Amino acid sequence: MAKQQRNSKGTGDAPALGFMGSMRWIWTQLTSMPTALFLLLLLAVAAVPGSIFPQRDANPESVAQYLEQHTTAGPWLDRFQMFEVYSSVWFSAIYILLFVSLIGCIIPRVKKHAKALRTPPPRTPVRLERLPQYSSHEILEGETDTPDDQQVIEDSFRILKKRGYRVERREDATGASVAAERGYTREIGNLLFHISLMGVLASAAIGGALGYTGQRVVVEGETFVNSLVAYDSFTPGTGFNADNLPPFAVTLDKFDIIFDRESKSHFGQPLDFTAHVKVRESPDAEPVKQELKVNHPLRISGGDVYLVGNGYAPVITVKDGNGNVSYSGPAVSIPQDSVYTSMFVLKVPDAEPSQLGFQGFLLPTALVDENGFGISGDPNAINPQLHLNSYFGDLGLDDGNPQNVFVLDTEKMEPLNSRDLDAGGIILEAGQTYELPDGKGSITFDDLKRFVALDINHDPGKLPIGIFSGLALIGLAVSLFTPRRRVWVKLKQENGKRSIEYALLARGEDPRLEREAAELQKIFDKAWPLASQEQNQGAVNG
Amino acid sequence: MDNAGALAPINETLGEYSQLFMLLAAMVYGVVFIIFALDLAKTNKSISEMDSEALKRDEELLVSAGGAVGTKPRSRRGAAVRADNVGEHIVTDKMEYTQLSAKRPTARIAVVLMWLAAALHGGAVVSRAIAAHRVPWGNMYEFLSTGAFLVALVFLLVLIFKDLRFMGSFISGLVTLMLCGATIGFPTPVGHLVPALQSPWIVIHVSIAVLASALFAISFAMNVLQLVQHARMNRLAAGQDDKLPFMRVVPGAGALENFAYRINTIGFVMWTFTVIAGAIWAEAAWSRYWGWDPKEVWSFVIWVVYAGYLHARATGGWTGPRSAWLSIIGFLCVVFNFTIVNIFFDGLHSYAGV
Ligand code: HEM
């Protein structure tokens, strides 16, 4: 399909062509098959670093950590956009060039094929016997059903047409014949495939721009209302106006996990996560009870809601040194392992006279290991305990820099409780209260709830992408598995004997040409009284 | 909270038997590998003998014709061998059984034993599925053992129609390796699937992925042989000795290339489907259809490399060895995706049970 030879002088003297000439030369090069091949292979290579280095999109914390650990290589890698490979300049350049090349390739092929569809099958060769699948049969005269010439041609025409060939009758100096060709859908399939690929890319771009994605943690009993303020993190597409968020609401009534309790080898493996929720499609709609599970997102108009994580949220009350309640409510803890040993951090900036900070672990089923450390023995909350250190002082929240809620910056704080101090660490069971040393206040572990982490997104590109992918798959299969063949059937007069001869020619790879020849043979034998055959089977490929 | 009624209970005893049968199958495949290798070695020898006999006859003829024999015996021998045998592959380009190729008792034993191994293997895979009440492809052990079974089965089924015994040692070697990897590297007792894997898509997405990989493995072997055959034919054409006479039980380079191409086209369509199905599943399970997770990256790389291969075949000057290399690289990427990415790369697919 490559048509590089238009500028036959070749590559050496491109500048001499003038501006338009150079542009045309570049265009010809870009849309040539070797360039497409090169760009494809380049794309494969360029995609690899994204699997080696952490990517900001998916994993910003890992990127930060990587940069901390690799102080020399890190910044250089960052400069070359190795942490955002798939939106990098170089990766984009490759696929945009590839798709430009694709467009440049498709347009002339569509034109050419449109013409081919209107072109009759080619002229019957003078000497059919030279073709790879050839055979010749004498027509037995004198039988009751012996056809005349006209009839043979008519029959051949009909038979080949029925087998999906495009047929044409011919009458020339060497006699009457039928020319047939099939497999035009091959190129149509190929074009459908390539065009659908562009459809996929375009839908992904448009869908991403018009949609949004966000995350939110919801504790049992809480309600998430789909509005900008409700999100923990929110990324709108460039064409999305956050004022247009559809105001649906999701309330988490209860979250259940089933763990494997029977298997010895997989004891404690989660088997099922179910969030029992109430959904209101709009503020004045009736709430509807639904189940949200992994693999079964909530499909709400204007947003899909996915269950992507879960954990425990201890309900805490903190009183400060003045005896006022300065924190009250659930605090999300992050599970670290399969028994839900969970990292717990609580910052209490409202505490007076000094701010308070807590940090440690939640153990759903607390046990003590041989070193006297608390560990969790089970993912379910059978004997929940909080093991905490406490600090007082300045949480460092006032300087305006955004902080990670799950990291306590103790630089400007004094420890109050820890294993190394006389006061020791804090160990709290549900319902217990601990009085902080030096009258700094108290902390109460009121209750234990579960939370779910939700992804909420809307992407109008999903459906078109699905449709284009399906079309691409169909086009691909059609283009790879449709054989292109030509058949000619011809009447021959020799020494007063009449015979028919026919030949098949494959265009491109066609391992089944021989079988098609045998099939035609059978049909012809049935249609006309033919003498036994005299065949010539050559190479399979034409 | 108990899980009675949520998922059917696991039959752990049956699972243990299944693992035992898997080990047994691995051993039989190992034996099959050795016998196939013996067959090639024997072929090597018997072909050399046939050649030297032909040579002797030629020399006698030449002597009786009064030719000057013995002045340049080596080159003459090479010439004689070539005159008799070049292009005369024992396995034809259509890879059909012929009278000449059927005379390989050692290879026959290997095939019979391989059916036995596959029967044990199939029993192990099916009993694993029964023990777990689900499809047996939920973790690395299961991918490897089920994948190996598909490779063996596809090969044995094709063997009924086509004489691909020249690939026997490669396939049985690969299957042995995969089963050793499963039973020694990732022994995993039967268990339930984690919630993210509980989806009908696991049946479709994974089975087609494994089947496509099995096809890529077969075409990979053919492309490797194609390169070897190509180099050998060039050597012969240049008048050099045939160092690898056993390659005569392998068809010509062109036939290998075409056959591999046909397999690759089927594999590629299946891989395309795998990627699409994976995206549909990911949309439901992970909230996005595509997120450049390491597994997704490598599936994409594989797809693009094979697309490159198909383009190469359609481009003048890139057929033959060059496109064969692309197919080989494609399969190496498949292996990489299946091993290194699963084991060492952190991603959403990691929970697939390493
Ligand atoms: C997005 C990048 C592309 C991808 C993923 C891709 C993929 C494919 C695949 C899988 C095939 C196999 C179907 C077949 O062999 O019939 C194919 C065929 C083909 N592609 Fe592409 N392609 C891309 C870009 C291009 C470009 C830029 C061109 C033009 C320069 C092109 C021209 C062709 C042609 C002519 C065929 C038919 C080959 C044949 O007849 O066997 N493709 N492409």
Side-chain angles (χ1 to χ4, degrees), chain A residues 33 37 40 47 51 86 257-258 262-263 265-266 269-271 295 299 306 455 457 459 462 465 509 511 514, chain B residues 1 3 12 94 189-190 192 195-196 198 258 262 281 283 285 287 289 292 297-298 304 308 311 313 315 345:
Chain A
M33 196 76 158
L37 178 56
L40 264 173
S51 73
Y86 306 104
I257 311 182
I258 297 175
E262 283 161 2
S263 162
S265 50
H266 296 79
Q269 174 194 302
L271 297 181
N295 277 316
R299 304 287 185 190
Y306 304 81
D455 269 11
N457 69 45
D459 182 348
K462 280 176 193 170
I465 289 176
E509 215 111 4
E514 212 173 306
Chain B
M1 246 185 283
N3 57 7
E12 300 203 353
K94 283 184 187 164
V190 220
H192 290 297
Q198 293 168 16
N258 287 342
R262 279 160 65 194
W281 189 5
E283 194 279 328
S287 80
Y289 56 85
W292 297 109
V297 172
W298 280 90
V304 172
H311 278 103
R313 287 263 320 181
T315 311
F345 285 34

Side-chain angles (χ1 to χ4, degrees), chain A residues 117-151:
Chain A
L117 284 174
R118 282 177 271 117
T119 314
R123 193 174 62 73
T124 310
V126 181
R127 307 183 63 176
L128 282 185
E129 64 271 23
R130 289 199 172 161
L131 294 175
Q133 292 287 326
Y134 167 81
S135 84
S136 160
H137 305 269
E138 192 185 330
I139 301 174
L140 300 176
E141 307 290 349
E143 307 269 330
T144 49
D145 52 351
T146 300
D148 59 13
D149 291 2
Q150 177 76 15
Q151 188 64 39

Side-chain angles (χ1 to χ4, degrees), chain B residues 157-171:
Chain B
L157 289 179
V158 178
L159 267 191
I160 296 176
F161 308 102
K162 297 269 176 185
D163 187 2
L164 298 191
R165 289 177 298 177
F166 59 87
M167 287 175 44
S169 42
F170 169 80
I171 298 289

Side-chain angles (χ1 to χ4, degrees), chain A residues 1 31 98 101-102 105 109 190 193-194 479, chain B residues 268 303 311 314:
Chain A
M1 235 46 52
T31 56
L98 184 57
S101 163
L102 187 54
C105 193
R109 282 173 64 197
N190 189 288
F193 168 74
H194 284 91
S479 103
Chain B
F268 184 76
W303 191 78
H311 278 103

Side-chain angles (χ1 to χ4, degrees), chain B residues 34-253:
Chain B
I34 293 169
I35 300 179
F36 268 127
L38 274 178
D39 171 55
L40 286 189
K42 246 173 82 174
T43 311
N44 215 352
K45 215 171 108 205
S46 59
I47 288 178
S48 303
E49 274 163 16
M50 270 161 54
D51 285 352
S52 56
E53 257 169 49
L55 173 71
K56 231 191 270 159
R57 264 203 316 278
D58 279 5
E59 285 181 353
E60 280 161 14
L61 272 174
L62 282 170
V63 170
S64 64
V69 182
T71 42
K72 280 155 68 188
R74 272 206 67 78
S75 68
R76 195 163 281 287
R77 176 176 164 248
V81 170
R82 246 174 302 123
D84 274 336
N85 300 312
V86 166
E88 189 203 310
H89 296 282
I90 291 176
V91 173
T92 62
D93 280 0
K94 283 184 187 164
M95 303 179 207
E96 274 150 3
Y97 291 95
T98 61
Q99 266 188 334
L100 203 58
S101 73
K103 274 192 254 145
R104 285 164 64 191
T106 325
R108 266 196 206 162
I109 296 171
V111 173
V112 171
L113 266 186
M114 190 158 174
W115 273 106
L116 176 71
L120 287 171
H121 192 171
V125 169
V126 171
S127 56
R128 174 100 180 176
I130 295 171
H133 296 280
R134 58 173 171 79
V135 289
W137 46 80
N139 53 51
M140 202 64 186
Y141 172 86
E142 293 172 354
F143 295 148
L144 277 168
S145 53
T146 305
F149 179 63
L150 276 181
V151 173
L153 192 68
V154 169
F155 177 66
L156 285 169
L157 289 179
V158 178
L159 267 191
I160 296 176
F161 308 102
K162 297 269 176 185
D163 187 2
L164 298 191
R165 289 177 298 177
F166 59 87
M167 287 175 44
S169 42
F170 169 80
I171 298 289
S172 53
L174 179 70
V175 169
T176 313
L177 212 68
M178 287 172 82
L179 279 189
C180 287
T183 49
I184 299 164
F186 306 97
T188 317
V190 220
H192 290 297
L193 293 176
V194 295
L197 292 182
Q198 293 168 16
S199 159
W201 285 107
I202 191 175
V203 181
I204 305 161
H205 171 70
V206 183
S207 62
I208 302 292
V210 172
L211 198 56
S213 308
L215 292 175
F216 286 146
I218 290 174
S219 61
F220 162 80
M222 292 197 161
N223 287 124
V224 171
L225 287 172
Q226 173 199 339
L227 291 180
V228 176
Q229 194 71 293
H230 188 83
R232 170 175 169 265
M233 301 297 262
N234 281 347
R235 250 195 333 268
L236 290 182
Q240 286 159 351
D241 278 354
D242 188 357
K243 287 210 199 83
L244 302 167
F246 73 86
M247 284 300 284
R248 282 178 53 200
V249 300
V250 177

Side-chain angles (χ1 to χ4, degrees), chain A residues 1 33-34 36-37 40-41 43-45 47-48 50-52 55 58 86 91 186 193-194 197 203-204 256-266 269-273 293-297 299 304 306-308 380 450 455 457 459 461-462 465 469-470 473 476-477 480-481 509 511-512 514 540-541, chain B residues 1-4 6-10 12 16 94 139 188-199 257-259 261-262 265-266 268-270 272-273 276 281-289 291-294 297-298 300-301 303-305 307-315 318 326 336 345-346:
Chain A
M1 235 46 52
M33 196 76 158
L37 178 56
L40 264 173
L41 297 178
L43 187 67
V45 174
V48 171
S51 73
I52 297 170
Q55 298 295 295
Y86 306 104
F91 191 80
R186 187 184 181 100
F193 168 74
H194 284 91
L197 287 187
S203 310
D256 286 332
I257 311 182
I258 297 175
F259 293 101
D260 194 335
R261 297 300 182 195
E262 283 161 2
S263 162
K264 285 190 284 289
S265 50
H266 296 79
Q269 174 194 302
L271 297 181
D272 182 68
F273 300 123
K293 286 164 161 285
V294 181
N295 277 316
H296 299 278
R299 304 287 185 190
D304 297 323
Y306 304 81
L307 175 62
V308 295
N380 270 333
R450 289 188 192 270
D455 269 11
N457 69 45
D459 182 348
K462 280 176 193 170
I465 289 176
S469 310
L473 188 66
L476 183 66
L480 286 174
F481 303 135
E509 215 111 4
R512 289 198 178 72
E514 212 173 306
V540 183
N541 286 323
Chain B
M1 246 185 283
D2 71 338
N3 57 7
L7 295 165
I10 299 278
E12 300 203 353
E16 278 160 24
K94 283 184 187 164
N139 53 51
T188 317
V190 220
H192 290 297
L193 293 176
V194 295
L197 292 182
Q198 293 168 16
S199 159
E257 179 181 348
N258 287 342
F259 205 82
Y261 170 74
R262 279 160 65 194
T265 53
I266 302 171
F268 184 76
V269 172
M270 287 186 169
T272 309
F273 179 80
I276 294 173
W281 189 5
E283 194 279 328
W286 299 331
S287 80
R288 83 291 184 290
Y289 56 85
W292 297 109
D293 173 85
V297 172
W298 280 90
F300 173 79
V301 169
W303 191 78
V304 172
V305 170
Y309 163 83
L310 294 177
H311 278 103
R313 287 263 320 181
T315 311
W318 266 78
L326 284 177
F336 188 85
F345 285 34
D346 228 16

